[in-house]
Amino acid sequence: MTDRPLTLMAVHAHPDDEATGTGGILARYAAEGIRTVLVTCTDGGCGDGPGGVKPGDPEHDPAAVALMRRQELEASCDVLKVSDLELLNYADSGMTGWPSNDAPGSFWQTPVEEGAARLAELMEHYRPDVVVTYDENGFYGHPDHIQAHRITMAALEMTALTPKTYWTTVPRSMMQRFGETMREFQEDMPEPDPAEAAAMAEIGLPDDEITTWVDTTAFSGQKFDALAAHASQGENIFFLKMGKERFGELMGMETFLRVKDTTGAAVPENDLFAGLR
């Protein structure tokens, strides 16, 4: 036995990603006395600037945006009671096809081995029992999400550690409810073109393929407040439009695909730490 606390490490691409996909588990496990470590890979400099100024606008200042988003990230971590925040501070690569994808120093242009080596050092330091990141497609294809997946899996290969490892996902049934909710709150939302609709239909997994369902409903208020802490990106955070009650109904369950396990815990499971306590 050891006095070292059980530890969760979540590896995310940008400020605000921690709240959207894992805000519930970060808050829940912190409340249960588990050490929660958040690694944020980029500075978020391709996000909206003050007043909603978009990247590419002459008034958009990536350095100023990155500073603002760091402050928002720290506020979000305070809400979620995150034990340790680690920043890799790579330049935000922007959305697929943006010129910033090719910018020297962007996360997307960083060799996987380099990013993985830095993350492996953090893993050796914190020795997580559970690691959470995105799947190979970064959940929805964002370059920085894909890169976060790549460096996480490579870092695990570099270490002698064997934490339970999970990829974030969403059940297809929830994606359907999410689409219905978006139309409810955005009545003028146009119907997606067939190609876009087909791509959306492929996001997430069939319900019966999801291994891990963690009920974080009791912490959905914290999750909402953590998202609200990212005020500069509020225009892009649809969830804030629905209010806390509806948010909790829709976002209270966080789901994952278990991709590495040495405990033998049966699936489906309702706890990332099943078999560890």
Side-chain angles (χ1 to χ4, degrees), residues 10-100:
V11 182
H12 281 291
H14 312 98
D16 78 31
D17 290 334
E18 81 291 337
T20 306
T22 57
I25 59 166
L26 288 169
R28 171 180 162 169
Y29 288 124
E32 293 178 6
I34 288 170
R35 186 177 197 176
T36 52
V37 180
L38 170 63
V39 181
T40 301
C41 296
T42 80
D43 60 11
C46 286
D48 288 359
V53 175
K54 303 295 182 184
D57 188 292
E59 296 183 11
H60 186 274
D61 181 349
V65 171
L67 176 60
M68 176 176 61
R69 297 196 71 185
R70 174 171 180 164
Q71 293 167 344
E72 292 174 343
L73 176 61
E74 290 170 349
S76 171
C77 287
D78 285 344
V79 170
L80 298 173
K81 309 301 182 188
V82 169
S83 308
D84 300 271
L85 171 62
E86 296 285 353
L87 305 172
L88 298 187
N89 269 328
Y90 290 108
D92 189 342
S93 309
M95 300 294 286
T96 302
W98 288 12
S100 47

Coordinates of all heavy atoms in Angstrom, one line a residue, residues 10-100:
A10 N -6.2 14.2 -17.2 CA -6.9 14.5 -18.4 C -6.1 15.3 -19.3 O -5.6 16.3 -18.9 CB -8.2 15.2 -18.1
V11 N -5.9 14.9 -20.5 CA -5.1 15.6 -21.5 C -6.0 16.2 -22.6 O -6.7 15.5 -23.3 CB -4.1 14.7 -22.2 CG1 -3.2 15.5 -23.2 CG2 -3.2 14.0 -21.1
H12 N -6.0 17.5 -22.6 CA -6.9 18.3 -23.5 C -6.1 19.2 -24.4 O -5.0 19.6 -24.1 CB -8.0 19.0 -22.7 CG -9.1 18.2 -22.2 ND1 -10.0 17.6 -23.1 CD2 -9.4 17.8 -21.0 CE1 -10.9 16.9 -22.3 NE2 -10.6 17.0 -21.1
A13 N -6.8 19.6 -25.5 CA -6.2 20.4 -26.5 C -6.2 21.9 -26.1 O -5.1 22.6 -26.2 CB -6.8 20.2 -27.8
H14 N -7.3 22.5 -25.7 CA -7.5 23.9 -25.6 C -8.1 24.3 -24.2 O -8.8 23.4 -23.7 CB -8.4 24.5 -26.7 CG -8.1 24.1 -28.0 ND1 -8.7 23.0 -28.7 CD2 -7.1 24.5 -28.9 CE1 -8.2 22.9 -29.9 NE2 -7.3 23.8 -30.1
P15 N -7.9 25.5 -23.8 CA -8.8 26.0 -22.7 C -10.2 25.9 -23.1 O -10.6 26.2 -24.2 CB -8.3 27.4 -22.5 CG -6.9 27.5 -23.1 CD -7.0 26.5 -24.2
D16 N -11.0 25.4 -22.2 CA -12.5 25.1 -22.3 C -12.8 23.7 -22.6 O -13.9 23.2 -22.3 CB -13.3 26.1 -23.1 CG -13.3 25.9 -24.6 OD1 -13.1 24.8 -25.1 OD2 -13.4 26.9 -25.3
D17 N -11.9 22.9 -23.3 CA -12.1 21.5 -23.6 C -12.3 20.7 -22.3 O -13.0 19.8 -22.2 CB -11.0 20.9 -24.4 CG -10.9 21.5 -25.8 OD1 -12.0 21.9 -26.3 OD2 -9.8 21.5 -26.4
E18 N -11.6 21.1 -21.2 CA -11.6 20.4 -20.0 C -13.0 20.4 -19.4 O -13.5 19.4 -18.8 CB -10.6 21.0 -19.0 CG -11.1 22.2 -18.2 CD -11.2 23.5 -19.0 OE1 -10.5 23.5 -20.1 OE2 -11.9 24.4 -18.6
A19 N -13.8 21.5 -19.6 CA -15.1 21.6 -19.0 C -16.1 20.8 -19.9 O -17.0 20.1 -19.4 CB -15.5 23.0 -18.9
T20 N -16.0 21.0 -21.2 CA -17.0 20.4 -22.1 C -17.1 18.8 -21.9 O -18.1 18.3 -21.7 CB -16.7 20.7 -23.5 OG1 -16.6 22.1 -23.7 CG2 -17.8 20.2 -24.5
G21 N -15.9 18.2 -22.1 CA -15.9 16.7 -22.1 C -15.7 16.0 -20.8 O -16.1 14.9 -20.6
T22 N -15.0 16.7 -19.9 CA -14.6 16.0 -18.6 C -14.9 16.9 -17.4 O -14.4 16.5 -16.3 CB -13.1 15.6 -18.7 OG1 -12.3 16.8 -18.9 CG2 -12.9 14.6 -19.8
G23 N -15.6 18.0 -17.5 CA -15.9 18.8 -16.3 C -16.5 18.0 -15.2 O -16.2 18.2 -14.0
G24 N -17.4 17.1 -15.5 CA -18.1 16.3 -14.5 C -17.2 15.4 -13.8 O -17.3 15.3 -12.5
I25 N -16.3 14.7 -14.5 CA -15.5 13.7 -13.8 C -14.4 14.5 -13.0 O -14.0 14.0 -11.9 CB -14.8 12.7 -14.7 CG1 -14.0 13.4 -15.8 CG2 -15.9 11.7 -15.3 CD1 -13.1 12.4 -16.6
L26 N -13.9 15.6 -13.5 CA -12.9 16.4 -12.8 C -13.5 16.8 -11.4 O -12.9 16.7 -10.4 CB -12.4 17.6 -13.6 CG -11.5 17.2 -14.8 CD1 -11.3 18.4 -15.7 CD2 -10.1 16.7 -14.3
A27 N -14.7 17.3 -11.5 CA -15.4 17.8 -10.2 C -15.7 16.6 -9.3 O -15.5 16.7 -8.1 CB -16.6 18.6 -10.6
R28 N -16.3 15.6 -9.9 CA -16.7 14.4 -9.1 C -15.5 13.8 -8.4 O -15.5 13.6 -7.1 CB -17.4 13.4 -9.9 CG -17.7 12.1 -9.2 CD -18.4 11.0 -10.0 NE -18.2 9.7 -9.3 CZ -18.9 8.7 -9.7 NH1 -19.8 8.7 -10.6 NH2 -18.7 7.5 -9.1
Y29 N -14.5 13.5 -9.1 CA -13.3 12.8 -8.5 C -12.6 13.7 -7.5 O -12.0 13.2 -6.5 CB -12.5 12.2 -9.6 CG -13.1 11.0 -10.2 CD1 -13.3 10.9 -11.6 CD2 -13.7 9.9 -9.5 CE1 -14.0 9.9 -12.2 CE2 -14.3 8.9 -10.1 CZ -14.5 8.8 -11.4 OH -15.1 7.8 -12.0
A30 N -12.5 15.0 -7.8 CA -11.9 15.9 -6.8 C -12.7 15.8 -5.5 O -12.1 15.8 -4.4 CB -11.9 17.3 -7.4
A31 N -14.0 15.8 -5.6 CA -14.8 15.7 -4.4 C -14.6 14.4 -3.7 O -14.9 14.4 -2.4 CB -16.3 15.9 -4.8
E32 N -14.2 13.4 -4.4 CA -14.0 12.1 -3.7 C -12.6 11.9 -3.2 O -12.2 10.8 -2.8 CB -14.3 11.0 -4.7 CG -15.8 10.9 -5.1 CD -16.1 9.8 -6.1 OE1 -15.2 9.0 -6.5 OE2 -17.3 9.8 -6.6
G33 N -11.8 13.0 -3.3 CA -10.4 13.0 -2.7 C -9.4 12.5 -3.7 O -8.2 12.2 -3.3
I34 N -9.7 12.3 -5.0 CA -8.8 11.9 -6.0 C -8.0 13.1 -6.5 O -8.6 14.2 -6.7 CB -9.5 11.1 -7.1 CG1 -9.9 9.8 -6.6 CG2 -8.6 11.0 -8.3 CD1 -10.8 9.0 -7.5
R35 N -6.7 12.9 -6.7 CA -5.9 14.0 -7.3 C -6.3 14.2 -8.8 O -6.3 13.2 -9.5 CB -4.4 13.7 -7.2 CG -3.5 14.9 -7.6 CD -2.1 14.6 -7.4 NE -1.3 15.8 -7.4 CZ 0.1 15.8 -7.1 NH1 0.7 14.6 -6.8 NH2 0.7 16.9 -7.2
T36 N -6.6 15.4 -9.2 CA -7.0 15.6 -10.6 C -6.0 16.5 -11.3 O -5.7 17.6 -10.8 CB -8.4 16.2 -10.7 OG1 -8.4 17.4 -9.9 CG2 -9.5 15.3 -10.2
V37 N -5.4 16.0 -12.3 CA -4.3 16.7 -13.1 C -4.9 17.0 -14.5 O -5.3 16.1 -15.2 CB -3.1 15.9 -13.2 CG1 -2.0 16.6 -14.0 CG2 -2.6 15.5 -11.8
L38 N -4.9 18.3 -14.8 CA -5.3 18.7 -16.2 C -4.1 19.1 -17.0 O -3.3 20.0 -16.5 CB -6.3 19.8 -16.1 CG -6.6 20.5 -17.4 CD1 -7.3 19.5 -18.4 CD2 -7.5 21.7 -17.2
V39 N -3.8 18.5 -18.1 CA -2.8 19.0 -19.0 C -3.5 19.6 -20.2 O -4.3 19.0 -20.9 CB -1.9 17.8 -19.5 CG1 -0.8 18.3 -20.5 CG2 -1.3 17.1 -18.3
T40 N -3.2 20.9 -20.5 CA -3.8 21.6 -21.6 C -2.6 21.9 -22.6 O -1.6 22.5 -22.2 CB -4.4 23.0 -21.2 OG1 -5.4 22.7 -20.2 CG2 -5.0 23.7 -22.3
C41 N -2.8 21.4 -23.8 CA -1.7 21.4 -24.8 C -1.4 22.7 -25.5 O -0.3 23.0 -25.8 CB -1.9 20.3 -25.8 SG -2.0 18.6 -25.1
T42 N -2.5 23.5 -25.8 CA -2.3 24.7 -26.5 C -2.7 25.9 -25.7 O -3.4 25.8 -24.7 CB -3.0 24.7 -27.9 OG1 -4.4 25.0 -27.6 CG2 -2.9 23.3 -28.6
D43 N -2.3 27.1 -26.3 CA -2.6 28.3 -25.6 C -4.0 28.9 -25.9 O -4.4 29.9 -25.4 CB -1.5 29.4 -25.9 CG -1.4 29.7 -27.4 OD1 -2.2 29.3 -28.2 OD2 -0.4 30.4 -27.7
G44 N -4.7 28.3 -26.9 CA -6.0 28.8 -27.2 C -6.0 30.1 -28.0 O -7.0 30.8 -28.2
G45 N -4.8 30.4 -28.6 CA -4.7 31.7 -29.3 C -5.5 31.9 -30.5 O -5.7 33.0 -31.0
C46 N -6.1 30.8 -31.0 CA -7.0 30.9 -32.2 C -8.5 31.1 -31.8 O -9.4 30.9 -32.7 CB -6.8 29.7 -33.1 SG -5.3 29.7 -34.1
G47 N -8.7 31.3 -30.5 CA -10.1 31.6 -30.1 C -10.5 33.0 -30.4 O -9.7 33.8 -30.9
D48 N -11.8 33.3 -30.1 CA -12.3 34.7 -30.3 C -11.6 35.6 -29.4 O -11.3 35.3 -28.2 CB -13.8 34.7 -30.0 CG -14.6 34.0 -31.1 OD1 -14.0 33.5 -32.1 OD2 -15.8 34.0 -31.0
G49 N -11.3 36.8 -29.9 CA -10.8 37.9 -29.1 C -11.9 38.7 -28.4 O -13.1 38.4 -28.6
P50 N -11.6 39.8 -27.6 CA -12.6 40.6 -27.0 C -13.6 41.1 -28.0 O -13.2 41.5 -29.1 CB -11.8 41.7 -26.4 CG -10.4 41.1 -26.2 CD -10.2 40.2 -27.3
G51 N -14.9 41.1 -27.7 CA -15.9 41.5 -28.6 C -16.2 40.6 -29.7 O -16.9 40.9 -30.7
G52 N -15.7 39.3 -29.6 CA -16.0 38.3 -30.6 C -15.1 38.5 -31.8 O -15.5 37.9 -32.9
V53 N -14.0 39.2 -31.7 CA -13.1 39.4 -32.9 C -12.5 38.0 -33.3 O -12.0 37.3 -32.5 CB -12.0 40.3 -32.6 CG1 -11.0 40.4 -33.8 CG2 -12.5 41.7 -32.3
K54 N -12.7 37.7 -34.6 CA -12.3 36.3 -35.0 C -10.9 36.3 -35.5 O -10.3 37.3 -35.9 CB -13.2 35.9 -36.2 CG -14.7 35.9 -35.9 CD -15.1 34.9 -34.9 CE -16.6 34.9 -34.6 NZ -17.0 34.0 -33.5
P55 N -10.3 35.1 -35.4 CA -8.9 34.9 -36.0 C -8.9 35.3 -37.4 O -9.9 35.0 -38.2 CB -8.7 33.4 -35.8 CG -9.6 33.0 -34.7 CD -10.8 33.8 -34.8
G56 N -7.8 35.9 -37.9 CA -7.7 36.4 -39.2 C -8.1 37.9 -39.4 O -7.7 38.6 -40.3
D57 N -8.9 38.4 -38.4 CA -9.3 39.8 -38.4 C -8.0 40.6 -38.0 O -7.3 40.2 -37.1 CB -10.4 40.1 -37.4 CG -10.9 41.5 -37.4 OD1 -10.2 42.4 -37.1 OD2 -12.1 41.6 -37.8
P58 N -7.8 41.7 -38.6 CA -6.6 42.5 -38.3 C -6.5 42.9 -36.8 O -5.4 43.1 -36.2 CB -6.7 43.8 -39.1 CG -7.5 43.4 -40.3 CD -8.5 42.3 -39.7
E59 N -7.6 42.9 -36.1 CA -7.7 43.3 -34.7 C -7.5 42.1 -33.8 O -7.4 42.3 -32.6 CB -9.0 44.0 -34.4 CG -9.1 45.4 -35.1 CD -10.4 46.1 -34.7 OE1 -11.1 45.6 -33.7 OE2 -10.8 47.0 -35.4
H60 N -7.4 40.9 -34.3 CA -7.2 39.7 -33.5 C -5.8 39.6 -33.1 O -4.9 39.5 -34.0 CB -7.7 38.5 -34.3 CG -7.7 37.2 -33.4 ND1 -6.6 36.4 -33.3 CD2 -8.7 36.6 -32.7 CE1 -6.9 35.4 -32.5 NE2 -8.1 35.5 -32.2
D61 N -5.5 39.5 -31.8 CA -4.2 39.4 -31.3 C -4.0 38.1 -30.6 O -4.5 37.9 -29.4 CB -3.9 40.6 -30.3 CG -2.5 40.6 -29.7 OD1 -1.8 39.6 -29.8 OD2 -2.2 41.6 -29.0
P62 N -3.4 37.1 -31.2 CA -3.3 35.8 -30.6 C -2.7 35.8 -29.2 O -3.1 35.0 -28.3 CB -2.5 35.0 -31.6 CG -2.7 35.7 -32.9 CD -2.8 37.1 -32.6
A63 N -1.6 36.6 -29.0 CA -1.0 36.6 -27.7 C -1.9 37.1 -26.6 O -1.9 36.6 -25.5 CB 0.3 37.5 -27.8
A64 N -2.7 38.2 -26.9 CA -3.6 38.7 -26.0 C -4.7 37.7 -25.7 O -5.2 37.5 -24.5 CB -4.2 40.0 -26.5
V65 N -5.2 37.0 -26.7 CA -6.2 36.0 -26.6 C -5.7 34.9 -25.7 O -6.4 34.4 -24.8 CB -6.7 35.5 -27.9 CG1 -7.6 34.3 -27.8 CG2 -7.4 36.6 -28.7
A66 N -4.5 34.4 -25.9 CA -3.9 33.3 -25.2 C -3.8 33.7 -23.7 O -4.1 32.9 -22.8 CB -2.5 33.0 -25.7
L67 N -3.4 34.9 -23.4 CA -3.4 35.4 -22.0 C -4.7 35.4 -21.3 O -4.9 34.9 -20.2 CB -2.7 36.8 -21.9 CG -2.7 37.4 -20.5 CD1 -1.9 36.5 -19.5 CD2 -2.1 38.8 -20.6
M68 N -5.7 35.9 -22.1 CA -7.1 35.9 -21.5 C -7.6 34.5 -21.3 O -8.2 34.2 -20.3 CB -8.0 36.7 -22.6 CG -9.4 36.7 -22.2 SD -10.3 37.7 -23.5 CE -10.0 36.8 -25.0
R69 N -7.3 33.6 -22.2 CA -7.8 32.3 -22.1 C -7.1 31.5 -21.0 O -7.7 30.6 -20.4 CB -7.7 31.5 -23.4 CG -8.6 32.2 -24.5 CD -8.8 31.3 -25.7 NE -9.7 30.2 -25.4 CZ -10.0 29.2 -26.2 NH1 -9.4 29.2 -27.4 NH2 -10.8 28.2 -25.8
R70 N -5.9 31.8 -20.7 CA -5.2 31.2 -19.6 C -5.9 31.6 -18.3 O -6.1 30.8 -17.4 CB -3.7 31.6 -19.6 CG -3.0 31.1 -18.3 CD -1.5 31.3 -18.3 NE -0.9 30.7 -17.1 CZ 0.4 30.5 -17.0 NH1 1.2 30.7 -18.0 NH2 0.9 30.0 -15.9
Q71 N -6.2 32.9 -18.2 CA -6.9 33.3 -17.0 C -8.3 32.6 -16.8 O -8.7 32.2 -15.7 CB -7.1 34.8 -17.0 CG -5.7 35.6 -16.9 CD -5.9 37.1 -17.3 OE1 -6.8 37.5 -17.9 NE2 -4.8 37.8 -16.9
E72 N -9.0 32.5 -17.9 CA -10.3 31.8 -17.9 C -10.1 30.3 -17.5 O -10.9 29.7 -16.8 CB -10.9 31.9 -19.3 CG -11.4 33.3 -19.6 CD -11.9 33.5 -21.0 OE1 -11.7 32.6 -21.8 OE2 -12.6 34.5 -21.2
L73 N -9.0 29.7 -18.1 CA -8.7 28.3 -17.7 C -8.5 28.1 -16.2 O -9.0 27.2 -15.6 CB -7.5 27.8 -18.5 CG -7.0 26.4 -18.3 CD1 -8.1 25.4 -18.6 CD2 -5.8 26.1 -19.1
E74 N -7.7 29.0 -15.7 CA -7.4 29.0 -14.2 C -8.7 29.1 -13.4 O -8.9 28.4 -12.4 CB -6.4 30.0 -13.9 CG -5.0 29.7 -14.4 CD -4.0 30.8 -14.3 OE1 -4.4 32.0 -13.9 OE2 -2.8 30.6 -14.5
A75 N -9.6 30.0 -13.9 CA -10.9 30.2 -13.2 C -11.7 28.9 -13.3 O -12.4 28.5 -12.3 CB -11.6 31.3 -13.8
S76 N -11.7 28.3 -14.5 CA -12.4 27.0 -14.6 C -11.9 25.9 -13.7 O -12.7 25.2 -13.1 CB -12.3 26.6 -16.1 OG -12.8 25.3 -16.3
C77 N -10.6 25.9 -13.6 CA -10.0 24.9 -12.7 C -10.3 25.1 -11.3 O -10.5 24.1 -10.5 CB -8.5 24.8 -12.9 SG -7.9 24.1 -14.5
D78 N -10.4 26.4 -10.9 CA -10.9 26.7 -9.5 C -12.3 26.2 -9.3 O -12.6 25.6 -8.2 CB -10.8 28.2 -9.3 CG -9.4 28.7 -9.1 OD1 -8.5 27.9 -8.9 OD2 -9.2 30.0 -9.2
V79 N -13.2 26.3 -10.3 CA -14.6 25.9 -10.1 C -14.6 24.3 -10.0 O -15.3 23.8 -9.2 CB -15.4 26.3 -11.3 CG1 -16.8 25.6 -11.3 CG2 -15.6 27.8 -11.3
L80 N -13.8 23.7 -10.8 CA -13.8 22.2 -10.8 C -12.9 21.6 -9.8 O -12.9 20.3 -9.6 CB -13.3 21.7 -12.2 CG -14.2 22.1 -13.4 CD1 -13.6 21.7 -14.7 CD2 -15.6 21.5 -13.3
K81 N -12.2 22.4 -9.0 CA -11.3 22.0 -7.9 C -10.2 21.1 -8.5 O -9.8 20.1 -7.8 CB -12.1 21.2 -6.8 CG -13.3 22.0 -6.3 CD -13.0 23.3 -5.7 CE -14.2 24.0 -5.1 NZ -13.9 25.4 -4.7
V82 N -9.7 21.4 -9.7 CA -8.6 20.7 -10.2 C -7.4 20.8 -9.4 O -7.0 22.0 -9.0 CB -8.3 21.2 -11.7 CG1 -7.0 20.6 -12.2 CG2 -9.5 20.8 -12.6
S83 N -6.7 19.7 -9.0 CA -5.6 19.8 -8.1 C -4.4 20.4 -8.8 O -3.6 21.2 -8.1 CB -5.2 18.3 -7.7 OG -6.3 17.6 -7.2
D84 N -4.1 20.1 -10.0 CA -2.8 20.5 -10.7 C -3.1 20.8 -12.2 O -3.7 20.0 -12.9 CB -1.8 19.4 -10.6 CG -1.4 19.0 -9.2 OD1 -0.5 19.7 -8.6 OD2 -2.1 18.1 -8.6
L85 N -2.7 22.0 -12.6 CA -2.9 22.4 -14.0 C -1.5 22.5 -14.6 O -0.6 23.2 -14.1 CB -3.6 23.8 -14.1 CG -3.6 24.4 -15.5 CD1 -4.4 23.6 -16.5 CD2 -4.2 25.8 -15.4
E86 N -1.3 21.8 -15.7 CA 0.0 21.8 -16.5 C -0.3 22.3 -17.9 O -1.2 21.8 -18.6 CB 0.6 20.4 -16.5 CG 1.0 19.9 -15.2 CD 2.3 20.5 -14.6 OE1 2.9 21.3 -15.3 OE2 2.6 20.2 -13.4
L87 N 0.5 23.3 -18.3 CA 0.3 23.9 -19.6 C 1.5 23.6 -20.5 O 2.7 23.9 -20.2 CB 0.2 25.4 -19.5 CG -0.9 25.9 -18.5 CD1 -0.7 27.4 -18.3 CD2 -2.2 25.6 -19.0
L88 N 1.3 23.0 -21.6 CA 2.3 22.7 -22.6 C 2.6 23.9 -23.5 O 3.7 24.1 -24.0 CB 2.0 21.5 -23.5 CG 1.9 20.2 -22.7 CD1 1.7 19.0 -23.7 CD2 3.0 19.9 -21.8
N89 N 1.6 24.8 -23.6 CA 1.7 26.1 -24.3 C 2.1 26.1 -25.7 O 2.8 27.0 -26.2 CB 2.6 27.0 -23.5 CG 1.9 27.8 -22.4 OD1 0.7 28.2 -22.6 ND2 2.5 28.1 -21.3
Y90 N 1.8 25.0 -26.4 CA 2.0 25.1 -27.9 C 1.0 26.1 -28.5 O -0.1 26.3 -27.9 CB 1.8 23.7 -28.5 CG 2.8 22.7 -28.1 CD1 2.6 21.7 -27.3 CD2 4.1 22.9 -28.7 CE1 3.6 20.8 -26.9 CE2 5.1 22.0 -28.4 CZ 4.9 20.9 -27.5 OH 5.9 20.1 -27.2
A91 N 1.3 26.6 -29.6 CA 0.4 27.6 -30.3 C -0.8 26.8 -30.9 O -0.6 25.7 -31.4 CB 1.2 28.3 -31.5
D92 N -1.9 27.4 -30.6 CA -3.2 26.8 -31.1 C -3.1 26.7 -32.7 O -2.7 27.7 -33.3 CB -4.3 27.8 -30.7 CG -5.7 27.3 -31.0 OD1 -5.9 26.3 -31.8 OD2 -6.6 27.9 -30.4
S93 N -3.5 25.5 -33.2 CA -3.4 25.3 -34.6 C -4.6 25.8 -35.4 O -4.6 25.8 -36.6 CB -3.2 23.8 -34.9 OG -2.1 23.3 -34.1
G94 N -5.7 26.1 -34.7 CA -6.9 26.5 -35.4 C -7.7 25.3 -35.9 O -7.2 24.2 -35.9
M95 N -8.8 25.6 -36.6 CA -9.6 24.6 -37.1 C -9.0 24.0 -38.4 O -8.1 24.6 -39.0 CB -11.0 25.1 -37.5 CG -11.8 25.7 -36.3 SD -12.2 24.4 -35.0 CE -13.5 23.6 -35.9
T96 N -9.5 22.8 -38.8 CA -9.0 22.1 -40.0 C -9.0 23.1 -41.2 O -10.0 23.7 -41.5 CB -9.8 20.9 -40.3 OG1 -9.8 20.0 -39.2 CG2 -9.3 20.2 -41.5
G97 N -7.9 23.2 -41.9 CA -7.8 24.0 -43.1 C -7.4 25.4 -42.9 O -7.2 26.1 -43.9
W98 N -7.3 25.8 -41.6 CA -6.9 27.2 -41.4 C -5.4 27.4 -41.7 O -4.6 26.4 -41.5 CB -7.1 27.6 -39.9 CG -8.6 27.8 -39.6 CD1 -9.7 27.5 -40.4 CD2 -9.1 28.5 -38.4 NE1 -10.8 27.9 -39.7 CE2 -10.5 28.4 -38.5 CE3 -8.5 29.0 -37.3 CZ2 -11.3 29.0 -37.5 CZ3 -9.3 29.5 -36.3 CH2 -10.7 29.5 -36.4
P99 N -4.9 28.5 -42.1 CA -3.5 28.7 -42.3 C -2.6 28.4 -41.1 O -1.5 28.0 -41.2 CB -3.4 30.2 -42.7 CG -4.7 30.5 -43.3 CD -5.7 29.7 -42.5
S100 N -3.2 28.7 -39.9 CA -2.5 28.4 -38.7 C -2.1 27.0 -38.5 O -1.2 26.7 -37.7 CB -3.3 28.9 -37.5 OG -4.7 28.5 -37.5

